[in-house]
Amino acid sequence: MTETILAVEGLHKSFGSLNVLRGIDLQIHEGEVVALIGASGSGKSTLLRCVNRLESPTSGTVRFRDKVLTNENVNTIRREIGMVFQRFHLFPHLTALQNITLAPCKVLGLSEQEAERDARELLEQVRLEAKADNFPGELSGGQQQRVAIARALALKPAVLLFDEPTSALDPELVGEVLEVIGELAKQGRTMLIATHEMQFAQEVAHRVVFLHGGEIHEQGTPAELFRNPKQERTQEFLARILNR
Ligand code: ADP
Ligand code: MG
């Protein structure tokens, strides 16, 4: 087993009287791909948002390597832990290329030339080299999400978080985005992916974590969890989502 890169310990998150996360313990190893599944409202987004500090945990800790993230500057965290959102969140007034070069120039201090060279390589990786100069409004949802993935990669993060990266897409555009994420998995990238795409989770993830009511209710390899779920709630959830 490789080294633990991310460790969530006793994580609780409440919004007022609503206890959304109720003691999450989750370790992710270098190069591991973990799929996070669970019904809507089970706390997947909140967990991801606590990991990259878009939310502050109510209690508990998140460690990245030897750093406790609550003690760190938010920018340090975001450089190491990239995030791709359901709704892309590209800057509408910037081209695909500019969306990708912005942060490396500002955060990593790269020159425009260096950032642009990297960005063109990344666009090639997500198969959008021809769209460098297009604005998000001129791209399909699948293309926008691939630009968002390239943008996240531009900071050379150690871990990538995905929050239902294909949920906002028309069905025919889902495959092109999953394919790019699948390639990242093959390259050995460490990723935590909230998804409702069970086939994809089965093929790409090393481990599947089922969240229910703000707790990890069951986890295992895709084979264990999909073929032989032990908990009744996991069985119910899978039956519901697979029979849609
Ligand atoms: P999932 O991503 O699994 O659908 P979420 O983490 O988005 O679940 O939400 C879990 C619960 O937390 C939901 O009941 C949601 O309404 C609530 N919640 C999420 N964010 C906030 C917030 N900023 N303020 C209040 N409630 C929130
Ligand atoms: Mg969500």
Side-chain angles (χ1 to χ4, degrees):
M1 193 64 92
T2 55
E3 192 188 335
T4 299
I5 190 164
L6 198 67
V8 175
E9 292 158 5
L11 183 70
H12 287 255
K13 177 65 183 176
S14 308
F15 295 105
S17 60
L18 185 67
N19 300 319
V20 174
L21 298 178
R22 304 160 181 252
I24 302 280
D25 293 296
L26 179 63
Q27 297 201 339
I28 298 185
H29 300 271
E30 191 116 39
E32 199 180 17
V33 179
V34 176
L36 188 60
I37 65 170
S40 182
S42 58
K44 301 181 296 297
S45 295
T46 304
L47 174 56
L48 296 175
R49 293 168 64 83
C50 285
V51 169
N52 90 334
R53 291 298 305 284
L54 288 168
E55 298 283 1
S56 318
T58 305
S59 64
T61 55
V62 178
R63 282 174 211 278
F64 169 76
R65 297 211 165 103
D66 54 355
K67 295 181 184 140
V68 175
L69 293 190
T70 33
N71 301 339
E72 294 290 325
N73 179 302
V74 165
N75 287 330
T76 318
I77 298 163
R78 305 242 170 93
R79 202 178 308 166
E80 300 284 6
I81 305 178
M83 184 139 163
V84 174
F85 301 90
Q86 191 172 344
R87 298 197 167 272
F88 334 133
H89 294 307
L90 295 175
F91 300 108
H93 61 293
L94 299 180
T95 63
L97 190 80
Q98 290 165 340
N99 263 281
I100 300 169
T101 56
L102 185 66
C105 288
K106 285 204 168 157
V107 179
L108 300 182
L110 295 193
S111 71
E112 285 203 11
Q113 277 168 329
E114 287 171 310
E116 185 173 327
R117 195 194 50 217
D118 286 359
R120 289 197 189 274
E121 252 170 53
L122 289 168
L123 279 170
E124 201 173 304
Q125 208 179 117
V126 299
R127 296 194 204 90
L128 286 175
E129 57 273 33
K131 301 292 184 187
D133 299 323
N134 286 91
F135 290 92
E138 301 166 340
L139 301 175
S140 74
Q143 291 169 337
Q144 288 183 59
Q145 190 60 303
R146 286 185 282 145
V147 173
I149 293 171
R151 179 178 62 176
L153 291 170
L155 285 177
K156 305 179 171 63
V159 179
L160 273 174
L161 311 176
F162 290 85
D163 192 359
E164 296 196 38
T166 60
S167 293
L169 299 177
D170 291 334
E172 74 269 24
L173 302 178
V174 168
E176 65 192 50
V177 171
L178 293 183
E179 210 169 293
V180 165
I181 302 173
E183 279 164 19
L184 296 176
K186 281 198 198 119
Q187 293 166 9
R189 294 215 170 246
T190 311
M191 303 193 280
L192 176 58
I193 310 172
T195 184
H196 287 298
E197 298 289 337
M198 297 299 142
Q199 178 78 31
F200 168 75
Q202 185 151 3
E203 285 166 12
V204 168
H206 301 111
R207 179 154 52 111
V208 182
V209 170
F210 173 58
L211 211 58
H212 177 76
E215 292 176 329
I216 295 181
H217 200 68
E218 185 168 355
Q219 61 177 309
T221 65
E224 286 165 351
L225 207 96
F226 290 119
R227 285 198 218 125
N228 192 18
K230 294 190 174 52
Q231 304 291 331
E232 204 173 318
R233 301 251 191 241
T234 320
Q235 293 162 8
E236 280 169 11
F237 171 76
L238 290 173
R240 231 181 317 131
I241 198 152
L242 296 173
N243 292 328
R244 266 194 321 202

